[in-house]
């Protein structure tokens, strides 16, 4: 059997060239599931001597999760999901032309951030496991049908999550359901519409949930309850997808699924807490959310430093020994050991409070100094003159003394005492407050001004998240009387999500959903393609082209794209200094501007790809 070595990478698509598992002669040996964080590559060839035992499969499953810890994946979680939004800016004295261009909305196909290779690498790793794992049942009696179904479920779910990231970043993407392990496996794959890709993801997730491990099933305090995809994580991913799809289609059926799925997660976590009778948090039987209290130092400590917090649903596992979250460190903490700051800073929307922070047009996020988050997510909080603030969340010291009390000057100055080497910091993918606010968003989307029950339900969820972060003696909490209309409640949910989830790679996706809900004429089942790109010379895919049995939908050829919600630009430009935002506002014009261009290397390698029509493949970006 031939070694899986790629000799001519220029002939392969960029999204499968860098596959790290069986390609280029590398493998993973001799570890159990519990050794996930200590596995290492060797020179063992993954070929006919592999895929023989249950251990082989376990090693490859671990390798798929490990590939999500890749620096390119982490950097895209930050740049794609957060930096494009209003919450982050490039540090003034840090030189990076690419980040400057992204801030100016000059998204060029030559930018490395436009590469989707790292996500397709994970997808391909999952497909390799799906391709080979069934044969191991014959070779090793210890690898049972039940074991295989759990493995298959995890791979389907992880593959779906990666495709979902890609849809949100690029809109029209290839759906990969076959593995590429040698030159013969490579074939051109066309883009599908987001409607098609998301439906395949939902189908796979629904199938995965039948067999995947129940949340908490690995035993109390086992890292796999957070590091592997479980039933709660599957429900969270599905809720996120339905929320995204509903925002594009305005279909209440999708929002109803969000409510159903979030309720299922809340009930499951409540059952888990009651089973293990955790006395340190959420012991009140009426408290079905079991959130940490704001004044408990463990709120910040466990969430953003120690990892695998009980409020979390899915976290990527970094142990600081065999792997380190260097990208989060360099973007948020310090660029190197001698530096004082990371590449990115929090924008001025966090530097002071504003009474009307929960309304469109507000220039700040927080409305109360009694909110522990105001003091703990950035350094130099309450400095109204600061245009940029160092990020504190996820990068401050790990002791309980690191938590800053409300209305305090202690700990406001930037600290660089945390060890730079072997930076141990999990990345939280989903946690319970995220889902609570997803449900609130769905309830508002389904409501009208006269639908008091849904609006009140949304408010109660926001209030639960907000109130737990407020000082016990605070009197300036949220009041439902200030949010009687659908529009007011929609902005409240959006703003609370930023207060709670800032810098976690959520904000840009939140703004996109908000934007879509105010747009008309969006066709989720069509791809974006310019009429000039529909000729055979451009390698256009015909409507009945297919990949792996997946039919390619009809392609839009009109240059008239749905216009963005009018206030979308208002959110983005508020992070700029006076006068700087005007230069980018005109680029917040129509739907294609929400997405990244496709990396030029992928365009050259795959003739079936069509470029995002508003980004010109030159050294500058022009308005279309």
């Amino acid at each position: 059997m031939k070694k899986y070595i790629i000799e001519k990478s220029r002939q392969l698509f960029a999204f499968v060239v860098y596959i790290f598992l069986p390609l280029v002669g590398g493998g993973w040996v001799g570890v159990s599931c519990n050794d996930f964080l200590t596995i290492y590559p060797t020179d063992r060839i993954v070929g006919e001597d592999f895929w023989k035992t249950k251990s082989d499969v376990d090693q490859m499953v671990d390798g798929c999760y490990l590939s999500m810890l890749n620096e390119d994946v982490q950097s895209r979680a930050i740049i794609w999901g957060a930096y494009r939004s209003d919450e982050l800016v490039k540090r003034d004295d840090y030189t990076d032309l690419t980040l400057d261009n992204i801030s100016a909305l000059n998204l060029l196909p030559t930018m490395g951030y436009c590469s989707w290779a790292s996500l397709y690498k994970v997808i391909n790793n999952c497909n390799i496991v799906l391709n080979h794992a069934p044969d191991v049942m014959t070779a090793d009696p210890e690898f049972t049908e039940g074991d295989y179904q759990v493995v298959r479920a995890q791979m389907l779910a992880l593959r779906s999550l990666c495709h979902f990231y890609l849809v949100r970043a690029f809109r029209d993407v290839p759906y990969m359901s076959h593995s590429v392990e040698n030159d013969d496996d490579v074939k051109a794959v066309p883009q599908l519409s987001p409607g098609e890709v998301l439906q395949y993801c939902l189908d796979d997730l629904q199938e995965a949930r039948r067999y995947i491990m129940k949340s908490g099933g690995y035993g109390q305090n086992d890292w796999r309850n957070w590091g592997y995809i479980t039933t709660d994580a599957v429900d969270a991913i599905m809720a996120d997808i339905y929320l995204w799809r509903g925002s594009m289609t305005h279909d209440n059926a999708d929002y109803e699924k969000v409510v159903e799925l979030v309720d299922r997660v809340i009930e499951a976590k409540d059952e888990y807490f009651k089973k293990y009778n955790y006395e340190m948090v959420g012991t009140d039987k009426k408290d079905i959310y079991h959130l940490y209290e704001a004044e408990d130092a463990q709120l910040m400590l466990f969430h953003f430093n120690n990892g695998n917090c009980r409020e979390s649903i899915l976290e990527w596992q970094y142990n600081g020994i065999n792997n380190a979250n260097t990208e989060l460190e360099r973007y948020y903490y310090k660029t190197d050991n001698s530096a004082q700051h990371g590449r990115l800073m929090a924008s001025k929307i966090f530097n002071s409070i504003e009474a009307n922070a929960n309304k469109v047009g507000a220039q700040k996020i927080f409305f109360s100094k009694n909110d522990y988050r105001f003091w703990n997510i950035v350094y130099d909080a309450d400095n109204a003159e600061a245009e940029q603030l160092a990020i504190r969340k996820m990068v401050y010291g790990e002791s309980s003394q690191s938590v800053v009390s409300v209305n305090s000057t202690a700990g406001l100055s930037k600290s660089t005492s945390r060890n730079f080497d072997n930076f141990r910091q999990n990345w939280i993918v989903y946690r319970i407050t995220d889902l609570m606010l997803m449900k609130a968003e769905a309830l508002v989307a389904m409501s009208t001004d006269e639908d008091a029950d849904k609006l009140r339900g949304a408010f109660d969820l926001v209030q639960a998240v907000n109130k737990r972060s407020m000082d016990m003696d605070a009197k300036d909490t949220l009041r439902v009387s200030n949010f009687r209309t659908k529009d007011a409640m929609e902005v409240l949910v959006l703003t609370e999500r930023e207060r709670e989830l800032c810098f976690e790679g959520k904000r840009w996706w939140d703004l996109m959903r908000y934007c879509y809900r105010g747009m008309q004429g969006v066709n989720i089942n069509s791809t974006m393609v310019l009429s000039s790109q529909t000729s055979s010379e451009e390698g256009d895919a015909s409507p009945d082209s297919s990949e792996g049995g997946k039919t390619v939908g009809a392609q839009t050829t009109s240059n008239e794209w749905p216009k963005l919600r009018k206030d979308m630009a208002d959110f983005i430009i508020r992070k700029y200094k006076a006068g700087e935002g005007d230069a980018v506002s005109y680029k917040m014009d129509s739907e294609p501007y929400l997405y990244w261009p496709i990396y030029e290397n992928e365009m050259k390698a795959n003739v079936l790809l069509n470029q995002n029509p508003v980004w010109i493949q030159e050294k500058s970006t022009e308005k279309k």
Side-chain angles (χ1 to χ4, degrees), residues 234-448:
V234 168
D235 288 342
I237 300 168
M238 284 198 291
D240 210 358
I241 292 175
Y242 277 117
L243 191 61
W244 185 269
R245 192 171 73 173
S247 298
M248 293 186 74
T249 62
H250 307 170
D251 189 343
N252 280 353
D254 285 336
Y255 295 128
E256 290 168 356
K257 290 295 295 183
V258 176
V259 173
E260 174 189 333
L261 289 161
V262 172
D263 283 345
R264 192 156 70 183
V265 174
I266 291 171
E267 291 169 7
K269 290 189 78 68
D270 185 37
E271 178 184 339
Y272 180 72
F273 272 87
K274 290 176 179 177
K275 177 180 178 180
Y276 289 107
N277 192 29
Y278 287 125
E279 297 179 357
M280 60 188 301
V281 58
T283 55
D284 186 346
K285 291 183 179 180
K286 296 181 181 179
D287 176 18
I288 61 173
Y289 306 122
H290 302 280
L291 303 179
Y292 286 109
E293 297 296 332
E295 292 165 319
D296 188 342
Q298 296 171 92
L299 169 64
M300 296 297 178
L301 176 63
F302 286 172
H303 259 331
F304 304 120
N305 291 92
N306 280 6
N308 296 334
C309 170
R310 292 187 179 91
E311 287 189 15
S312 289
I313 295 168
L314 180 62
E315 297 188 15
W316 302 139
Q317 307 286 307
Y318 293 88
N319 72 347
I321 300 173
N322 305 97
N323 57 64
N325 199 341
T326 56
E327 290 303 282
L328 181 145
E329 178 181 33
R330 289 167 182 162
Y331 281 108
Y332 290 172
Y333 183 35
K334 298 193 293 185
T335 54
D336 56 61
N337 200 24
S338 62
Q340 291 296 308
H341 298 291
R343 299 165 183 163
L344 305 181
M345 305 282 275
S347 72
K348 60 185 178 181
I349 65 175
F350 296 100
N351 66 0
S352 57
I353 65 167
E354 180 174 339
N356 295 323
N358 297 302
K359 294 183 178 180
V360 172
Q363 297 300 303
K364 307 298 176 183
I365 289 298
F366 286 96
F367 65 91
S368 171
K369 290 184 180 181
N370 288 308
D371 193 325
Y372 272 75
R373 296 169 301 186
F374 174 70
W375 303 97
N376 283 279
I377 62 174
V378 298
Y379 291 101
D380 291 325
D382 205 26
N383 180 356
E385 302 302 317
E387 293 283 353
Q388 300 184 330
L389 303 97
I391 296 169
R392 194 172 196 273
K393 187 178 184 179
M394 292 181 278
V395 298
Y396 57 83
E398 298 185 37
S399 73
S400 59
Q401 302 302 315
S402 299
V403 178
V404 178
S405 299
V406 298
N407 296 299
S408 171
T409 58
L412 293 184
S413 298
K414 174 67 182 286
S415 170
T416 57
S417 61
R418 187 172 180 180
N419 188 21
F420 182 83
D421 298 327
N422 304 318
F423 196 76
R424 180 185 64 85
Q425 181 65 53
N426 283 2
W427 179 256
I428 299 176
V429 185
Y430 290 107
R431 53 191 178 99
I432 192 64
T433 51
D434 184 3
L435 267 70
M436 292 167 65
L437 295 172
M438 285 187 196
K439 177 181 175 181
E441 187 174 323
L443 288 172
V444 175
M446 287 189 289
S447 72
T448 64

Side-chain angles (χ1 to χ4, degrees), residues 123-134:
I123 291 170
N124 195 65
N125 292 340
C126 294
N127 287 335
I128 289 170
V129 174
L130 291 169
N131 186 34
H132 289 285

Side-chain angles (χ1 to χ4, degrees), residues 106-203:
N106 292 326
L107 304 187
L108 310 178
T110 55
M111 289 177 173
Y113 292 115
C114 296
S115 173
W116 55 31
S118 57
L119 272 299
Y120 276 111
K121 179 176 74 174
V122 181
I123 291 170
N124 195 65
N125 292 340
C126 294
N127 287 335
I128 289 170
V129 174
L130 291 169
N131 186 34
H132 289 285
D135 298 334
V136 181
M137 285 188 289
T138 302
D140 183 3
E142 292 188 7
F143 187 62
T144 66
E145 174 71 21
D147 294 329
Y148 164 68
Q149 291 295 353
V150 173
V151 166
R152 176 172 173 267
Q154 289 190 70
M155 297 299 95
L156 290 175
L158 185 56
R159 185 178 75 181
S160 297
L161 178 61
C162 291
H163 277 113
F164 183 40
Y165 274 111
L166 291 163
V167 167
R168 287 180 291 181
F170 298 97
R171 193 185 190 278
D172 309 330
V173 299
Y175 179 82
M176 294 293 292
S177 59
H178 72 281
S179 64
V180 177
E181 303 178 47
N182 54 56
D183 289 356
D184 295 336
D185 295 330
V186 178
K187 60 180 178 179
V189 182
Q191 293 150 288
L192 302 183
S193 69
E196 292 169 290
V197 176
L198 295 180
Q199 187 58 56
Y200 295 139
C201 292
L202 289 169
D203 292 344

